[in-house]
Structure formats: structure tokens, C-alpha cells
Amino acid sequence: MPPTGSPRHEAICRAALEVVAEDGYDRMSMDAVAARARASKATIYRHWAGKRDLVLDALHLRGPSCVVVPDTGTLRGDILATLGMVDTGTMREDMLLVSGVLRALAGVPEIADAVREQILEAKRDLSRTLVSRAVARGEVPPDADPDVFHVVAPALVFFRVTVLGQPVDEEFLTYVTDDVLIPLLTRQRPVPARAEQKESA
Amino acid sequence: MPPTGSPRHEAICRAALEVVAEDGYDRMSMDAVAARARASKATIYRHWAGKRDLVLDALHLRGPSCVVVPDTGTLRGDILATLGMVDTGTMREDMLLVSGVLRALAGVPEIADAVREQILEAKRDLSRTLVSRAVARGEVPPDADPDVFHVVAPALVFFRVTVLGQPVDEEFLTYVTDDVLIPLLTRQRPVPARAEQKESA
């Protein structure tokens, strides 16, 4: 049995997440994980009771998915660079993983919690970093919503790729940046009473 | 064999879409469809070669999913009323259906096309109606992006429900309306100059 943290243990966990990303949690088989990790199924079952336990363990071992926001010197540059990472590295893996566990998100609460905490919540800081830098540069008002990037950007990208099946190409990134995110971040927000009196414009 | 358009044919098609929405396309079984439609599997297989054909036929029979935008007299009212429909009737069915076929969207192009055309594209008019009414009332500038509601609102709602597993509650609807959609629709768009920066032209 591979002790926690051993190379063998890590290889199995990594294989499990790859299989989830490719086949989806529902279709994931221990055979596929075993084959990919070059381990026997007996070895896997000695350590994990089933795929739920294995995937959970793998998510925890992987840890929160931190992404460093490129510091390009402008809000527009930072946004484009951050969104551009969706097609590569960790961000791409994250998105495939979220797609892979999508149905499990509704039915397996522990997996849903782990994914939301380690993949989605972990990116809230990214949004805040991006906004606070822009505030410091004077590009956006000090009361700009620090979470708007976090709420809007992943949703647009996820819907585009998963539902519309369209590429995260330059046209899309430019649209999201110039026609959605920058206008939302740079707008002058009305003073508090907003909710009641919307008709001011 | 149920002739196209017969009540029996329609019942089977309706059952198929319900099963897809509940179990997902991957897990959908003809047994479940037969049981729900109170039909024999033999009857089903006499008419459809397999689940792909059945689901495609069912999507086409269902036709484009048209939603009438409530005319409340204000942009804010129209947006809130439209978004509020997500939890009821056709819009709710649509969302469950899109979730159900999500993995099929990547692997079964005919189903992806049918879903995108009849469920998603069909709602572009909704966005345009909403915006053109607001333009007519003078609530938004005449050059307001007529598609921004179409691009942004479904993505935010879908991500919220499917990935975050959170409810489409009043707090969320108010946020999306007041902090995302209305600011995007009412903003003064810069004069063309910016377009040159976009590589697309």
C-alpha cells in the first residue's frame, strides 16, 4: 500500500484527476486509473475504498489551485493575461476538472466542497489582487467591486467552453475584457441608496 | 410503431428529455424512458435506432424554446422578471436539459447543434427585445450592446447553479441586475476609437 505522500501515492492521485478530467466522474473507472498510474487495482483498493475516496484524497493532495496574476502594468493587460491563462497550465486543468466533476457536484457533497474550496474559492484572491493593483494605479475607483472579476469572468469562460463549445480566442477575450470587465470595474458606482432608486439615468 | 407526431410518439419524446434532464445523457437508459412513457422498449427501438436518435428527435419535436419577456415598464423590472423565470417553467427545463447533455455537447455534435440552436440561440431574441424596449423608453443609449444580456446572464446563472450549486435567489438576482447587467446596458460607450485596438477588424 502506498504511504500517503509517497511518489506512488501521488502518481495514483494524479492519474485519478486526469481520468476525471477526461472521462468525467460518473464514467471514471478504477481500471483507467490503475492503467494510467501503472498500478494494480489491488494496490489502489488497499488504500482507497472507492473512487469517491480516491478523488477526494487527490483533490486534497493537489491543494488549492493558486494562480499568480501577471503584473503587466495596466488593468487591461492584467485582465487579458489572466484570462489568457485559461488555455494553459493549471487554469486549463482546473476547468477540465470542474467539467469532469460537474454531475458529482450535485450528488457528492464532499467532492463539491473540495472543488469549490480548492479550485473556485482559491481564485477569489486573484480577482482582488487584480482590482487592488488597478485601484493603486488610479485606474479604477477605490470602491470598485473587488469580486466582480471573480463572479463574472469564470462564469463567462466556463459557459463559453462547456456549453457553447466555442474557443477562448482573442475575439472573445477582447470582448470580455473591453465590453464587460473593464466597464464594470471602472464605472462610477452610485451612492448607497442605489437599490431603491434605480431610475436615475 | 408510433407515427411521428402521434400522442404516443410525443409521450416517448417527452419522457426522453425528462430522463436526460434527470440522469444526464451518459447515464440515460432506454429502460428509464420506456418506463416513464409506459411504452415497451421494443416500441421505442422500432422507431429509434438508439438514444442519440431519440434525443435528437425529441429536441426537434420540442422546437425552439421561446420565452416571452415580461413587459414591466422598466429595464430593471424586465431584467428581474426575465431572470426570475429561471426557476420555473421552460427556462428551468432548459437549464436542466443543458446540464443533462453537457458531456454530450462535447462528444455528440448533432445533439450539441440542436441544443445550441433550439435552447440557447432561441434566447438571443429575448435579449434584443429587452434592450430595444429600454432604448425606446430612453433608459439606455441607442448604441447599447443588444447581445450583452444574452452573453452574460445565462452564463452567470448557469455557473451559479451548476458549478457553485447556489440558488438563484433574490440576492443573486439583484446583484446580477444592479451590479452587472444595468451598468453594462446603461453605460456610455466610448466612440469607435477603441474598436481599432481590437485586432478583429
Side-chain angles (χ1 to χ4, degrees), chain A residues 1-16 18 33-34 36-39 43-44 47-48 54 57-58 61:
Chain A
M1 155 158 70
T4 309
S6 72
R8 165 55 62 96
H9 182 106
E10 285 181 18
I12 295 172
C13 284
R14 207 166 39 242
E18 286 172 13
V33 176
R36 180 161 316 212
R38 294 170 192 276
T43 304
I44 298 181
H47 202 72
W48 295 280
L54 172 55
D57 202 16
L61 183 69

Side-chain angles (χ1 to χ4, degrees), chain A residues 146-167:
Chain A
D147 289 328
V148 74
F149 184 93
H150 183 68
V151 174
V152 175
L156 294 185
V157 170
F158 187 81
F159 193 78
R160 168 96 173 174
V161 173
T162 314
V163 178
L164 302 178
Q166 288 167 0

Side-chain angles (χ1 to χ4, degrees), chain B residues 13 20 30 61 83 91 126 135 147 159 169 171 187 194:
Chain B
C13 283
V20 170
M30 288 303 220
L61 183 68
L83 292 179
M91 293 267 263
L126 182 159
V135 170
D147 290 329
F159 193 77
D169 55 13
E171 186 186 348
R187 75 189 175 105
R194 189 173 43 82

Side-chain angles (χ1 to χ4, degrees), chain A residues 44-113:
Chain A
I44 298 181
Y45 276 113
R46 237 175 284 132
H47 202 72
W48 295 280
K51 67 181 184 177
R52 181 184 144 283
D53 284 358
L54 172 55
V55 170
L56 261 180
D57 202 16
L59 283 168
H60 285 123
L61 183 69
R62 185 169 176 273
S65 129
C66 298
V67 175
V68 178
V69 191
D71 196 348
T72 67
T74 66
L75 173 62
R76 184 168 194 272
D78 284 4
I79 293 178
L80 281 171
T82 304
L83 293 178
M85 290 192 293
V86 166
D87 259 353
T88 55
T90 320
M91 294 267 263
R92 187 180 154 77
E93 279 171 33
D94 282 352
M95 197 156 63
L96 293 172
L97 206 50
V98 171
S99 304
V101 296
L102 213 58
R103 288 185 55 80
L105 289 183
V108 192
E110 301 90 335
I111 289 186
D113 288 347

Side-chain angles (χ1 to χ4, degrees), chain B residues 1 19 72 74 91 109 116:
Chain B
M1 156 159 70
V19 172
T72 67
T74 65
M91 293 267 263
R116 285 176 193 139

Side-chain angles (χ1 to χ4, degrees), chain A residues 23-24 27 102-103 105 116 120 145 155 158-159 163-164 170 174-175 179 183-184 187 194 198-199, chain B residues 23 76 102-103 105 116 120 139 145 155 158-159 163-164 175 178-179 183-184 187 194 198-199:
Chain A
D23 298 344
R27 290 197 159 186
L102 213 58
R103 288 185 55 80
L105 289 183
R116 286 177 192 138
L120 304 168
D145 178 355
F158 187 81
F159 193 78
V163 178
L164 302 178
E170 188 163 336
T174 310
Y175 178 83
D179 291 321
L184 290 176
R187 74 191 175 104
R194 179 172 41 91
K198 194 59 229 186
E199 263 43 75
Chain B
D23 298 345
R76 184 169 194 269
L102 212 58
R103 288 185 55 80
L105 290 183
R116 285 176 193 139
L120 304 168
E139 287 183 288
D145 177 357
F158 187 82
F159 193 77
V163 178
L164 301 178
Y175 178 83
D178 291 335
D179 291 320
L184 289 176
R187 75 189 175 105
R194 189 173 43 82
K198 296 189 185 178
E199 259 64 81

